[in-house]
Amino acid sequence: MSIAYLGLESLRQIRNARSMIFTLAVPLVMLVAFGGSFGGSGQVDPVTKLPWIAVTTIQVAGYGGMMAALSLAFNIVTERSIGWNRQLRLTPLSGTGYLVSKLVTSMLMALVSIVVIFSVSGILFHSSLPLGNWLTAGLGLWLGVIPFALIGILIGQFAKPEYAQPLFMAVFMGMAVLGGLWIPLQIFPAWVANVAQIVPSYWLNRIGQMGAHQNGDILSPALVLLGWTVVLAAFIVWRYRRDAARS
């Protein structure tokens, strides 16, 4: 039952035109625009010591992966509003199977976004970064979006349909800006960078950069994102059990 539901969820996401636009089309436009401006000349970012095109690609891929993971919220809000989640509780599908299926589906969409963005960047801009470094950065970004999928589930569990869109945009835009996924944080005042270290998107960007280095401190961002994952997962399970008990 869980495998069948996972297949249905995956097909539904692939057919969702709006989701595909925001997780693929928008990041690709950003990559071409910013990559052409900063990445075509082979310049190196003085802060990260990475080629500018690598920094830009990691930021854009983080944006796409985060969007794919957070977009899960809309599906859950819709299902709750029409009572579909209550119907699923009458089937052999367990609560764990339901939540894991949602998580896996969002991770698959994030993987597609990251792979496409990295591939297009390599084809268009020919970065000098070795392939192994790209693979490590991509894997770090992909695993790093797990907390954002859990945040998407939380929004879906709590938000009413009329508030889902503004809540999603507030969370997403705040994460994107503070994570340095739109604009490098070094152009902001120092206090902004200090505040940014509270949010997981900052560490998503960092784990991608450290993966691209392969000799950086990748453990710190990994542990922070793992901490977010554990706390969010525990809260989601508590919320789901409470919701199921009331139903």
Side-chain angles (χ1 to χ4, degrees):
M1 184 66 185
S2 298
I3 295 175
Y5 184 73
L6 175 60
L8 291 172
E9 278 291 298
S10 301
L11 287 175
R12 185 169 69 164
Q13 285 298 310
I14 292 173
R15 294 172 180 172
N16 188 332
R18 184 183 67 175
S19 176
M20 297 302 291
I21 288 173
F22 283 104
T23 58
L24 284 178
V26 173
L28 286 175
V29 170
M30 293 171 59
L31 174 65
V32 172
F34 296 144
S37 301
F38 303 113
S41 61
Q43 296 179 358
V44 174
D45 175 25
V47 176
T48 64
K49 309 302 180 183
L50 290 168
W52 263 113
I53 186 57
V55 174
T56 302
T57 303
I58 289 169
Q59 290 172 342
V60 173
Y63 170 97
M66 185 176 69
M67 171 62 82
L70 287 173
S71 296
L72 179 65
F74 293 110
N75 290 339
I76 298 177
V77 168
T78 300
E79 290 176 357
R80 288 178 58 238
S81 66
I82 63 176
W84 178 240
N85 59 334
R86 291 192 296 271
Q87 293 296 320
L88 287 175
R89 292 191 184 107
L90 302 177
T91 71
L93 179 67
S94 65
T96 301
Y98 172 80
L99 294 175
V100 170
S101 296
K102 295 293 186 185
L103 176 63
V104 172
T105 300
S106 66
M107 291 297 293
L108 289 175
M109 295 302 298
L111 179 62
V112 170
S113 180
I114 292 169
V115 169
V116 169
I117 292 167
F118 273 39
S119 300
V120 171
S121 176
I123 293 170
L124 293 181
F125 300 109
H126 312 288
S127 171
S128 59
L129 201 67
L131 177 61
N133 297 56
W134 280 116
L135 292 175
T136 308
L139 180 62
L141 286 174
W142 183 53
L143 295 176
V145 300
I146 294 177
F148 300 95
L150 299 179
I151 292 173
I153 293 176
L154 272 180
I155 294 175
Q157 287 180 324
F158 281 98
K160 295 182 179 180
E162 59 269 26
Y163 301 125
Q165 182 73 28
L167 179 59
F168 173 87
M169 292 306 299
V171 171
F172 175 74
M173 293 181 67
M175 293 281 189
V177 172
L178 289 176
L181 302 180
W182 280 351
I183 305 172
L185 286 175
Q186 54 263 35
I187 72 170
F188 290 106
W191 66 266
V192 176
N194 294 331
V195 173
Q197 296 183 38
I198 300 173
V199 299
S201 52
Y202 172 87
W203 300 101
L204 176 67
N205 196 10
R206 290 290 294 167
I207 201 171
Q209 294 171 354
M210 293 300 98
H213 276 294
Q214 284 198 343
N215 60 353
D217 180 19
I218 199 170
L219 183 61
S220 294
L223 288 176
V224 173
L225 291 170
L226 177 61
W228 273 94
T229 299
V230 171
V231 172
L232 289 168
F235 195 53
I236 286 169
V237 171
W238 170 81
R239 171 66 184 183
Y240 186 84
R241 289 176 176 174
R242 182 183 179 191
D243 192 38
R246 289 188 301 180
S247 299

